[in-house]
Amino acid sequence: MEYDEDARWDKPATLSTYLTHKDISEASSGSLIGSPDSKRYDSPVLKLIGESKQKHYRKVCMPLTTEKWKERWSKMCLLPSESSEEDKELAAKTAEKWRLNPAFERGEVTITRLDEAEGIIVMISDWLELDAADDWVRHDAEIALKQELAYAAYLNVHTAILPAPRNRDHVASYARMVNSCLTKYPYICLSIRLPIYNPSAFHPTSPTPVSPFPDSSISSSAGTPSLIISESEGTAHSSRGSVNATWEMWDLIRSMCEYNIKLTLTLDLSPALPTTLGVLSKWAAESVRHIYLPASTFIANAKGYPVLPKPTQQFIRDSMIHRPTIILAGVSEGQHSKGGEVAYSQYVRHLEKTSPAVMTLRKEGTVENFAQGYQDYLQAPLQPLMDNLPSITYQTFEQDPVKYMQYEEAMYRAFLDHPKDQKIVVCVAGAGRGPLVARCFKALARSQRKATVIAVEKNPNALVTLQERHAKEWSSHDFHLVFGDMRLVDVPEKADILVSELLGSFGDNELSPECLDGAMRFLKPSGISIPSSYTAHLAPLSSSKLYNEARSTKQEKSMETPYVVMFQAVNILSGTKATADGRCGPQVQECWEFEHPRRDALVNDQGLPFTNSHNARSAKLRFYIPHAGILHGLAGYFEAVLYGNIGLSIHPHRKDQVSKDMLSWFPLFFPFKEPLYLPSNSELQVSIWRLTSDRQVWYEWHAESFITIPSRASVSEELTGQSLSPSFSGNSSFSSMASPLIDPKELAYLDVNRLSIPDNDGGEYDTVKIGHTSLHNPGGRSSWIGL
């Protein structure tokens, strides 16, 4: 298997410092003159970069343009309302010349040389209003944006951070501009700077100049405005929507940009973070490339050293597993009395070292350590009947001590349930290179039992290894080797215990039911199977990274194929508790179960089932979605009972109790071709089928989304177009009721009074469908497992 070698955790997170206009100005004005470093550095910018590297910053972030550029653009494109007609005409002519051939003048950019731009992250001018209400301001802002990106491309800059969108009514215009730039400048990664919630808390509102164009009567702000949630609905809605607003804007932007892999996020942690988990967890599934962390976010501890508030501290710890670049800003300005500039970077390094996720990843023997390089890496499931596995695949699975310890314990307990004087017959179906055979002999020794062990294996190459191990390790044991497909061959004698390791990430996805149907012929009427049963489980999942990986081939079948993947940048959308009315189940829900041996199976004279129809399954699951998110796919897990209370599990809530640090199985990912938006407090219904023909087994899956509304409102609006109750009309409480996009817990954080939905019909609600996906993989057209 190939994997990303760079993804192994052998490097700390990247720390960057942010250089301000003031820093650059001071370096230019006099710090170089007569200093010992004056001969070492050819320019003020190179001196600042050199000093940053000496402070162990690996990257430097700085604005691309100066205040001089802002002043010229403002004079051309924004005029105060009291300007004379002569000034307006002159500005219009100057602006037209600039629009015809956009270019910088001397002193308008901070970087002028190629060596100054090496390894630099540039900040695009944050005063550009790419989503201004004024059409002409947006038009000129787009020209200015492309001018800055063209210059960055000229300097071979690899990453540019764009200013945040501020006006939700015009965020589509912002997204269109970003998409245009991604196409025009394919070698620059664009990162959008966004706070986790409403930036109005730290963006001041400024005076309002007007456009110089005679046909434009719409005014626009020249400064950095606060976020406008909706111009038509006023400030009350703004305060209620502020928590989800920035994520909703990001979702619209990346969707309109078709999930372009060169578009990432720079999360701005300037405002204090909310404590509500739902507000923060949705960002874990996004492409967060940078975290902007100003000194003002830090607070002083009892000794005066800078530390972060607990919610921000926890967020940084959790984010370290994704290795973002941390951009520290303003840390040299002495905002805290102790520690100096180095205290900030030392504290961030401390958070990284004490991050539970990072500590687990670095600890040998954990799944996370074993899976380094495989995180969010899509792998096609195995075809166990069609393909003969290479030795390296067997070797990878055999590195899992937990799985084989569990199997040994299960066999040991099964052997103890047989009398000492009774000779046991054990059949290992699908022996591979022999790890289960070796564990079987260990369990026999522990239990002081004797047994005849029969190994069945169809892989002719693995057969050589089994023959070699028989000769060198197992020659003193009563051991028999049978070569062939377990559904076709016969064994020397009937078995008391059938042992197999044919399970897949979804339990049955590597055809364990079909294989064991054929092997049940080997059992005595009283015989048992290890495993005795296994169940498949699902949960709705959001992950832009996995969605992008699945669609990267641009083939439809890639979006209809279940993948084995070690989840990392994902967010499980469903709630952890069932809803009060019982309609929705827990966060992860069971789909179906298989048991072995099946005592009720109809078989022919050879002991084989007439058809495979008994192995078809279907499930319809209902999930409660507490927080708004985007459905990109389904996460599949399995649990297996080996014997008694000994089992195997990759269920996210139970794996540590059942088989902690088991390495052999990663979850399964069922992608959706069309991302489905799920508002807060909505319901997701998932349908999934396991289908079969004489030659193949495949899965089909589909999802629908719903919200609940007061039944009387829905009936009156549908039949008459108006509400029958006065309380639902005009500016009533119904028109201002809480949006399903808003999380009640998030509102509590903002200290906003929750509004109850009017209840004029005894608390009755209707479920209203709001969206669905297509049926995926119908007839097994894209993915299947061959029989």
Side-chain angles (χ1 to χ4, degrees):
M1 281 181 292
E2 296 181 357
Y3 66 97
D4 183 5
E5 187 67 36
D6 291 335
R8 295 192 65 82
W9 194 276
D10 53 2
K11 296 179 182 178
T14 300
L15 290 186
S16 170
T17 184
Y18 180 68
L19 301 179
T20 64
H21 286 119
K22 180 182 177 182
D23 295 328
I24 300 169
S25 176
E26 289 178 351
S28 302
S29 61
S31 59
L32 285 177
I33 300 174
S35 70
D37 292 333
S38 59
K39 295 181 180 179
R40 290 178 53 197
Y41 300 105
D42 294 335
S43 74
V45 171
L46 286 177
K47 178 180 184 294
L48 290 171
I49 294 172
E51 290 176 345
S52 299
K53 289 182 177 179
Q54 290 173 9
K55 296 174 182 176
H56 304 292
Y57 293 111
R58 290 173 57 195
K59 287 186 177 294
V60 172
C61 180
M62 60 188 295
L64 180 63
T65 63
T66 67
E67 287 295 312
K68 187 177 177 182
W69 162 235
K70 177 181 178 180
E71 292 170 5
R72 182 163 72 96
W73 186 89
S74 298
K75 288 179 181 178
M76 290 188 299
C77 304
L78 298 173
L79 284 177
S81 55
E82 63 273 10
S83 298
S84 66
E85 292 301 319
E86 183 180 351
D87 289 341
K88 290 181 180 180
E89 184 178 355
L90 178 61
K93 288 181 180 179
T94 305
E96 281 296 288
K97 290 180 181 179
W98 167 73
R99 295 183 190 107
L100 183 64
N101 189 20
F104 289 113
E105 296 178 355
R106 189 171 186 272
E108 291 182 343
V109 291
T110 57
I111 304 172
T112 58
R113 299 161 42 149
L114 194 62
D115 54 351
E116 292 176 338
E118 186 175 347
I120 296 293
I121 302 168
V122 299
M123 284 270 196
I124 299 300
S125 300
D126 59 5
W127 44 265
L128 287 177
E129 293 187 62
L130 304 176
D131 52 356
D134 187 310
D135 292 345
W136 283 109
V137 172
R138 289 201 309 273
H139 175 266
D140 286 344
E142 180 176 4
I143 296 174
L145 170 64
K146 290 181 177 178
Q147 177 181 326
E148 294 191 23
L149 289 176
Y151 186 70
Y154 164 75
L155 292 173
N156 199 33
V157 169
H158 297 298
T159 302
I161 298 177
L162 274 55
R166 296 140 178 160
N167 190 335
R168 283 180 63 185
D169 282 349
H170 297 283
V171 71
S173 293
Y174 180 104
R176 184 203 61 76
M177 293 180 201
V178 173
N179 189 54
S180 175
C181 291
L182 288 167
T183 303
K184 190 174 181 65
Y185 308 104
Y187 301 111
I188 297 182
C189 291
L190 302 183
S191 190
I192 298 176
R193 179 177 168 183
L194 272 177
I196 285 180
Y197 66 98
N198 190 348
S200 62
F202 55 97
H203 281 318
T205 302
S206 57
T208 306
V210 297
S211 169
F213 297 95
D215 57 343
S216 176
S217 60
I218 305 173
S219 64
S220 178
S221 169
T224 307
S226 61
L227 174 66
I228 302 171
I229 299 297
S230 173
E231 293 179 340
S232 60
E233 296 187 23
T235 57
H237 184 80
S238 174
S239 62
R240 292 201 305 273
S242 59
V243 171
N244 272 328
T246 55
W247 179 83
E248 290 169 6
M249 289 192 292
W250 161 249
D251 176 55
L252 178 63
I253 294 165
R254 57 92 178 271
S255 298
M256 288 183 63
C257 294
E258 298 182 323
Y259 285 76
N260 194 306
I261 59 173
K262 294 192 280 80
L263 180 64
T264 64
L265 264 172
T266 295
L267 280 186
D268 190 330
L269 300 190
S270 297
L273 293 189
T275 57
T276 308
L277 179 62
V279 181
L280 305 179
S281 62
K282 59 167 65 80
W283 297 102
E286 305 299 348
S287 302
V288 178
R289 181 69 59 86
H290 310 94
I291 293 179
Y292 181 81
L293 192 59
S296 58
T297 303
F298 289 78
I299 58 176
N301 65 9
K303 296 182 179 180
Y305 288 93
V307 296
L308 290 170
K310 283 190 176 180
T312 307
Q313 177 187 126
Q314 186 59 47
F315 184 82
I316 292 290
R317 277 200 173 107
D318 293 343
S319 300
M320 284 300 186
I321 195 68
H322 306 299
R323 291 192 287 192
T325 295
I326 308 294
I327 302 174
L328 293 172
V331 293
S332 62
E333 297 175 2
Q335 292 201 23
H336 296 85
S337 60
K338 294 289 184 67
E341 180 176 353
V342 69
Y344 298 91
S345 56
Q346 287 178 342
Y347 180 74
V348 171
R349 289 290 183 220
H350 167 73
L351 294 182
E352 179 182 20
K353 290 178 182 178
T354 56
S355 164
V358 174
M359 292 171 67
T360 302
L361 188 143
R362 287 174 168 169
K363 183 180 178 182
E364 291 189 10
T366 63
V367 180
E368 291 78 8
N369 180 271
F370 171 78
Q372 289 187 74
Y374 290 98
Q375 289 95 340
D376 295 330
Y377 175 77
L378 302 182
Q379 305 172 67
L382 299 175
Q383 289 274 8
L385 294 182
M386 295 177 59
D387 302 332
N388 290 319
L389 301 180
S391 189
I392 187 66
T393 301
Y394 288 120
Q395 180 176 318
T396 299
F397 293 146
E398 290 167 15
Q399 292 178 31
D400 187 346
V402 175
K403 176 178 73 171
Y404 294 109
M405 179 179 66
Q406 294 292 90
Y407 265 101
E408 180 184 328
E409 187 65 19
M411 289 186 281
Y412 167 72
R413 296 193 184 187
F415 295 156
L416 288 180
D417 287 341
H418 286 75
K420 271 193 174 184
D421 57 352
Q422 176 185 341
K423 186 168 184 178
I424 307 167
V425 178
V426 181
C427 178
V428 179
R433 302 197 313 178
L436 283 182
V437 175
R439 291 288 183 159
C440 178
F441 288 134
K442 285 186 177 181
L444 286 169
R446 287 175 58 197
S447 61
Q448 299 180 353
R449 301 296 193 269
K450 293 183 179 180
T452 297
V453 179
I454 304 168
V456 180
E457 178 53 50
K458 75 173 183 65
N459 187 340
N461 307 306
L463 184 69
V464 176
T465 302
L466 289 171
Q467 291 171 338
E468 188 72 9
R469 296 192 72 175
H470 182 198
K472 292 185 176 181
E473 301 176 42
W474 307 325
S475 57
S476 61
H477 296 281
D478 186 358
F479 178 72
H480 301 274
L481 187 56
V482 177
F483 172 55
D485 189 324
M486 67 182 72
R487 299 171 297 174
L488 303 175
V489 299
D490 292 319
V491 294
E493 56 183 313
K494 296 287 186 179
D496 297 288
I497 301 174
L498 179 72
V499 185
S500 65
E501 55 171 328
L502 305 170
L503 299 169
S505 298
F506 205 47
D508 55 78
N509 62 295
E510 293 185 14
L511 301 189
S512 179
E514 285 73 18
C515 293
L516 292 182
D517 276 348
M520 288 304 142
R521 303 172 294 123
F522 305 156
L523 278 178
K524 297 175 182 177
S526 60
I528 65 168
S529 170
I530 299 176
S532 60
S533 66
Y534 38 91
T535 50
H537 304 257
L538 278 181
L541 175 147
S542 177
S543 174
S544 57
K545 185 174 183 181
L546 292 183
Y547 175 72
N548 257 340
E549 289 291 325
R551 67 198 284 265
S552 60
T553 63
K554 301 188 184 302
Q555 297 179 354
E556 184 179 45
K557 68 178 183 179
S558 67
M559 298 301 293
E560 294 190 326
T561 298
Y563 297 97
V564 174
V565 58
M566 174 63 176
F567 294 145
Q568 187 179 73
V570 303
N571 179 33
I572 300 300
L573 296 169
S574 46
T576 56
K577 296 181 180 179
T579 49
D581 60 9
R583 284 180 55 82
C584 299
Q587 185 177 46
V588 181
Q589 297 182 31
E590 181 179 325
C591 297
W592 49 67
E593 181 181 26
F594 287 92
E595 295 181 347
H596 302 290
R598 278 182 57 121
R599 304 298 183 187
D600 59 345
L602 295 175
V603 296
N604 58 21
D605 294 339
Q606 289 78 40
L608 297 171
F610 288 96
T611 69
N612 196 38
S613 59
H614 61 286
N615 285 324
R617 295 286 190 277
S618 68
K620 186 167 185 177
L621 311 174
R622 288 183 168 91
F623 297 94
Y624 171 60
I625 309 299
H627 311 292
I630 300 296
L631 178 70
H632 291 118
L634 304 170
Y637 310 94
F638 86 94
E639 284 194 312
V641 176
L642 297 180
Y643 185 81
N645 63 350
I646 305 300
L648 306 171
S649 178
I650 62 170
H651 189 292
H653 300 157
R654 298 197 284 264
K655 61 182 181 179
D656 286 351
Q657 290 74 38
V658 178
S659 51
K660 182 175 173 57
D661 291 328
M662 185 172 63
L663 311 175
S664 292
W665 291 278
F666 297 156
L668 208 61
F669 173 57
F670 294 89
F672 282 114
K673 290 182 287 185
E674 315 93 356
L676 183 63
Y677 180 80
L678 301 175
S680 294
N681 302 317
S682 60
E683 177 181 320
L684 178 71
Q685 294 185 11
V686 172
S687 297
I688 186 167
W689 300 265
R690 185 187 199 264
L691 302 172
T692 179
S693 66
D694 292 339
R695 311 180 81 176
Q696 298 171 347
V697 172
W698 68 93
Y699 300 101
E700 299 179 17
W701 58 99
H702 172 261
E704 296 177 273
S705 56
F706 301 83
I707 58 171
T708 55
I709 64 171
S711 58
R712 188 165 189 175
S714 62
V715 171
S716 63
E717 290 172 1
E718 185 170 346
L719 295 180
T720 69
Q722 298 177 349
S723 172
L724 296 180
S725 170
S727 65
F728 288 99
S729 63
N731 297 320
S732 68
S733 58
F734 178 76
S735 63
S736 61
M737 72 184 212
S739 163
L741 305 182
I742 308 307
D743 187 341
K745 291 183 179 178
E746 297 166 356
L747 296 179
Y749 166 77
L750 292 177
D751 197 26
V752 175
N753 293 327
R754 287 191 237 168
L755 299 177
S756 60
I757 297 176
D759 186 4
N760 295 323
D761 286 329
E764 294 182 5
Y765 289 80
D766 281 342
T767 300
V768 179
K769 180 175 175 178
I770 57 175
H772 65 262
T773 69
S774 60
L775 176 63
H776 286 65
N777 197 36
R781 66 184 179 189
S782 299
S783 62
W784 43 266
I785 312 105
L787 289 169

